[in-house]
Structures are given as structure tokens and as C-alpha cells.
């Protein structure tokens, strides 16, 4: 948190103050003396009501542009809430939840069954988990992250949410262009200069430079240009950043319209949401900018684009190794069919993702309900004690009836099968 604008880069201050205008800029500067609002979004397939969760003394207020989003008056210690790890909700910045309103208004023109969507730059997974919850049930979502380390974080968060028909990949846009896949909906939440993160991330301030802004603009255009051929004619692309400047935002959207043949799609919004439209002089297309101090959230820019119905279209070349639609992609996780375990001798160790999946049949494995303390011990990958009458074999352990994962009960003890790389390291008070 910052007390004034003096810690911000001079070039950023001069440019952004001119872009925002005096009043909006002052609201933005004032926001630095305030805590960034905490917000969460329910997983509608696991937590149907905010009352099923317990955030202590924190009160809740609905996020107006997201059906399952809530502001919290205080920021709880989310890490020590087993329901977070069970996938009951996702901690997400409120501005990013505007994607829910976008999908809701576009629903009549999206395929209700058999549609395919792509979140191209998806880690850590906030928009992907929102997108899968908001899209028609019969849609398949490809959730992709080019960076391998970040892709593993994405995979963890998608598995915890437990949605069916999700495929997590670790590829670049060019790989998708070669894969043979085509999409009805593409989200390009592109890498950016991160100006909208300044209030909550001091590191983003230190990394900012005008040179980086221009570098980001070129990279963003390259990413969009690579994936654009895989969007079906008449398909929807949502372009978004977490930055303020027009170079990475309006100028790129104008470039997509003029060079790639897209039309702007208007999304209806309420005046009291505080969303700011285009700030590019002489350009008045419908876009959506969230600015701290004006909107209750962090920085976000979003534009909704439709590819021309008569646009040139190709499905790309499939690799020689395989004729499947996703050939050549590095797939980290898929919940489009049976989630298979790992064979160890004559034993098959069930996949952790199976326990978290909403498609898991309630009677497939015995279940054991844990207290909060035992649930946290389980999530720390420590030894837990099961009730004496628990059958031997693989057991799904639950907290508030929500699965956390597997243990193997061998009688005198239970082997904790929680993924080593997921375990929480934070201590808790008993």
C-alpha cells in the first residue's frame, strides 16, 4: 500500500494522470491509502450458498457483475480454510469477475452442447474456473498456460474446483494453431505491464517501464494473431489485461478490428458499477476499464470481439503422429472422461483429481468426515486418525461433506495420499 503517487514511476504518473483526468486520477491515488477489497467466488457445483461457508466475523456483499461473487469486509486466512482446498470457492479479484456478466449476456449465441472454449493464458486459474462455471454445461474448456511452473499451479486450481470437461495444457498459441482445434470462444487475458496491480503488488511497480509497455503491446498482438485463425467465424474473443494504458488496450483492440476483421460486442452495464469506457482520444468503441477508486476492485481492461461470420477459416495441420483434434499439445490434466489412477503392482492408486471431481459417485469409495484440525493435518500431509470403524482400503476424507482427497487405511494407520507438491506449510493453532 502506498501513501501517495510519489513512489510511482514518473513516466507512468505523467501519462496516466493525463489519461484519467484530474478527478479520476485523484480517486485512483486516494485508493492507495485503502486496503484492496477481498473477494471470493463460489463454485456453484460445490457451494450453492454463501451461508455454507464460514468467514468468521467478515460480512459479505454481492459483487454486482458476478452471480456467485462476494466482497468480504475482512480478509480471512484463506490458506487455513479446508473448504478453499476442497474447491468450494475461489479467491478472485472482483474486477476479473466481470467475465461472468460477459458470458451471461452472450449465452444465447453460445453453443449449448458440444461447444469448445479456450483460455489461452490462464494461470493461476481465476478466469478459467469462472469461465467453466459460466459456460453452457455441454461445453469443453481448454485451459492453457505457456509457462510450465505456472501451468502446474493452474492444474492444481482446476482440479480442486472439480469441473468436468476441462483440459489443462502447457503450450504456446502457435502450438494451438498447429493442433487442429477450433473454438467457439477464446479468452486472451494476455501478459501485460501490470499497472492495475500496483496497489496490491509493489513488485509490479518496480518492473514497470515505458519500454516494457511497448514490448507487451507487440507480444499481445503476436499472441492474438497466432490464435485468431483458430476462432470459428462468428466466434467470440474476449481480450483483457490488468493494465491501464491505451497502448496495450484500446490501440490493440483497434488493431484487432482493423487488421483481423473483428466487430465489437456491446455488454450492458449499470452506471453505479463505476466502469470506465474508452480513454483513447477519438475512439469510442465499447470497452470496459476498472480503475481502483472509481470501481470497487483492482485494475482491469476488457473488450469483447466477434469474428466476422464470413471470415477466412482453417483448422490447421495435424501432426503426423496422431490424427486426434488435440494432437501435438502437452496435456497436463483432462476431466473429459474417466480420471484414471496410477498402477503400482497389482494395486491402482486413485488419482487425487478423482476425489475432487464433482462427477465422483458418492458410493464409489468409503468416506470419513474430518474435524477442522484433522483436515488441516491432512492438508499438511501429516498423519491423521480415522474412526475405528473405517473400512480398510482407499478412503475419501471430507470436511463439511466436501471431499479433500484420499487416504489408504491399512488398519493401524492411514497413509496420507495428499499430493506432496500441494501440501500447505503454514502452521495453525489447535
Amino acid at each position: 500500500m502506498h501513501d501517495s503517487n510519489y513512489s510511482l514511476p514518473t513516466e507512468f504518473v505523467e501519462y496516466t494522470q493525463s489519461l484519467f483526468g484530474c478527478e479520476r486520477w485523484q480517486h485512483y491515488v486516494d485508493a492507495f491509502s485503502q486496503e484492496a477489497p477481498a473477494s471470493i467466488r463460489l463454485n456453484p457445483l460445490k457451494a450453492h450458498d454463501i451461508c455454507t461457508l464460514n468467514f468468521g466475523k467478515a460480512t459479505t456483499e454481492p459483487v454486482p457483475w458476478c452471480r456467485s461473487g462476494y466482497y468480504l469486509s475482512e480478509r480471512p486466512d484463506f490458506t487455513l480454510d479446508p473448504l478453499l482446498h476442497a474447491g468450494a470457492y475461489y479467491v478472485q479479484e472482483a474486477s476479473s469477475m466481470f467475465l461472468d456478466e460477459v458470458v451471461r449476456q452472450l449465452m444465447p449465441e453460445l453453443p449449448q452442447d458440444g461447444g469448445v472454449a479456450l483460455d489461452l493464458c490462464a494461470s493461476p486459474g481465476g478466469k478459467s474456473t469462472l469461465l467453466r462455471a459460466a459456460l453452457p454445461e455441454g461445453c469443453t474448456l481448454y485451459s492453457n498456460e505457456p509457462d510450465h511452473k505456472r501451468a502446474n499451479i493452474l492444474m492444481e486450481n482446476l482440479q480442486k474446483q472439480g469441473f468436468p470437461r476441462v483440459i489443462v495444457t502447457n503450450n504456446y498459441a502457435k502450438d494451438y494453431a498447429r493442433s487442429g482445434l477450433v473454438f467457439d470462444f477464446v479468452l486472451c487475458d494476455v501478459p501485460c505491464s501490470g499497472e492495475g496491480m500496483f496497489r496490491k503488488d509493489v513488485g509490479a511497480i518496480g518492473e514497470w517501464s515505458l519500454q516494457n509497455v511497448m514490448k507487451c503491446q507487440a507480444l499481445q498482438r503476436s499472441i492474438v494473431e497466432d490464435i485468431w485463425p483458430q476462432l470459428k467465424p462468428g466466434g467470440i474473443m474476449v481480450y483483457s489485461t490488468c493494465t491501464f494504458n491505451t497502448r496495450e488496450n484500446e490501440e490493440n483492440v483497434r488493431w484487432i478490428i482493423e487488421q483481423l476483421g473483428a466487430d465489437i460486442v456491446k455488454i450492458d452495464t449499470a452506471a453505479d458499477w463505476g466502469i470506465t469506457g474508452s480513454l483513447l482520444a477519438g475512439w469510442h468503441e465499447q470497452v470496459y476499464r476498472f480503475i481502483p477508486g472509481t470501481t470497487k476492485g483492482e485494475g482491469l481492461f476488457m473488450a469483447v470481439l466477434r469474428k466476422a461470420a464470413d471470415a477466412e477459416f482453417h483448422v490447421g495441420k495435424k501432426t503426423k503422429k496422431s490424427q486426434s483434434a488435440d494432437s501435438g499439445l502437452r496435456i497436463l490434466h483432462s476431466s473429459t472422461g474417466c480420471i484414471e489412477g496410477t498402477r503400482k503392482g497389482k494395486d491402482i492408486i486413485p488419482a487425487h483429481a478423482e476425489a475432487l471431481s464433482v462427477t465422483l459417485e458418492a458410493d464409489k469409495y468409503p468416506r470419513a468426515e474430518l474435524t477442522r484440525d484433522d483436515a488441516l493435518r491432512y492438508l499438511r500431509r501429516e498423519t491423521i486418525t480415522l474412526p475405528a470403524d473405517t473400512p480398510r482400503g482407499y478412503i475419501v476424507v471430507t470436511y463439511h461433506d466436501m471431499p479433500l482427497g484420499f487416504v489408504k487405511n491399512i488398519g493401524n494407520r492411514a497413509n496420507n495420499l495428499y499430493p506432496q507438491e500441494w501440501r500447505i506449510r503454514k502452521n495453525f493453532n489447535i
Side-chain angles (χ1 to χ4, degrees), residues 94-320:
S95 299
S96 296
M97 298 183 198
F98 183 63
L99 182 62
D100 184 74
E101 182 68 23
V102 170
V103 175
R104 185 185 68 80
Q105 293 191 30
L106 292 173
M107 191 66 74
E109 58 184 280
L110 295 175
Q112 299 303 298
D113 191 42
V116 186
L118 169 66
D119 184 354
L120 187 59
C121 311
S123 185
K127 292 186 179 69
S128 269
T129 54
L130 183 154
L131 192 55
R132 189 61 199 91
L135 286 168
E137 186 177 342
C139 181
T140 297
L141 173 66
Y142 282 76
S143 182
N144 178 71
E145 172 54 46
D147 181 85
H148 182 68
K149 185 176 181 179
R150 287 170 55 83
N152 284 323
I153 296 171
L154 173 67
M155 178 174 63
E156 175 183 345
N157 287 328
L158 264 296
Q159 286 187 22
K160 284 180 177 178
Q161 295 282 296
F163 293 110
R165 307 184 70 86
V166 172
I167 299 170
V168 180
T169 63
N170 173 212
N171 292 92
Y172 290 95
K174 288 183 177 180
D175 299 319
Y176 268 92
R178 291 189 290 261
S179 71
L181 283 166
V182 294
F183 300 98
D184 303 282
F185 185 103
V186 174
L187 170 61
C188 279
D189 186 38
V190 289
C192 69
S193 59
E195 296 165 356
M197 302 293 289
F198 284 1
R199 181 164 68 149
K200 58 187 293 188
D201 183 3
V202 176
I205 298 175
E207 294 172 2
W208 186 93
S209 70
L210 185 57
Q211 182 181 8
N212 191 42
V213 168
M214 304 309 295
K215 182 180 178 180
C216 287
Q217 183 192 54
L219 174 62
Q220 292 152 357
R221 293 185 182 188
S222 175
I223 290 171
V224 172
E225 191 170 29
D226 283 342
I227 202 62
W228 188 257
Q230 306 314 119
L231 181 64
K232 294 180 181 178
I236 296 293
M237 174 178 284
V238 173
Y239 175 89
S240 67
T241 74
C242 60
T243 206
F244 299 131
N245 68 78
T246 62
R247 297 179 180 93
E248 298 176 71
N249 294 327
E250 285 92 338
E251 291 179 33
N252 273 353
V253 174
R254 183 175 62 184
W255 177 86
I256 296 170
I257 293 170
E258 294 175 352
Q259 299 298 318
L260 301 181
D263 296 313
I264 284 283
V265 178
K266 181 180 179 181
I267 302 299
D268 294 328
T269 62
D272 61 2
W273 293 356
I275 298 174
T276 302
S278 174
L279 295 179
L280 180 62
W283 195 80
H284 306 293
E285 296 283 4
Q286 196 81 22
V287 294
Y288 313 91
R289 183 183 268 98
F290 292 67
I291 304 172
T294 300
T295 318
K296 192 174 181 179
E298 300 310 295
L300 174 80
F301 173 91
M302 190 171 285
V304 185
L305 300 146
R306 181 185 288 109
K307 190 173 188 177
D310 58 354
E312 183 179 344
F313 181 61
H314 68 85
V315 296
K317 295 181 180 180
K318 299 172 185 176
T319 64
K320 294 180 180 179

Side-chain angles (χ1 to χ4, degrees), residues 2-10 12-13 17 25-26 28-29 32:
H2 309 277
D3 295 328
S4 73
N5 59 301
Y6 294 111
S7 60
L8 299 173
T10 301
F12 169 79
V13 172
Q17 187 172 10
W25 172 257
Q26 190 58 52
Y28 171 66
V29 171
F32 277 78

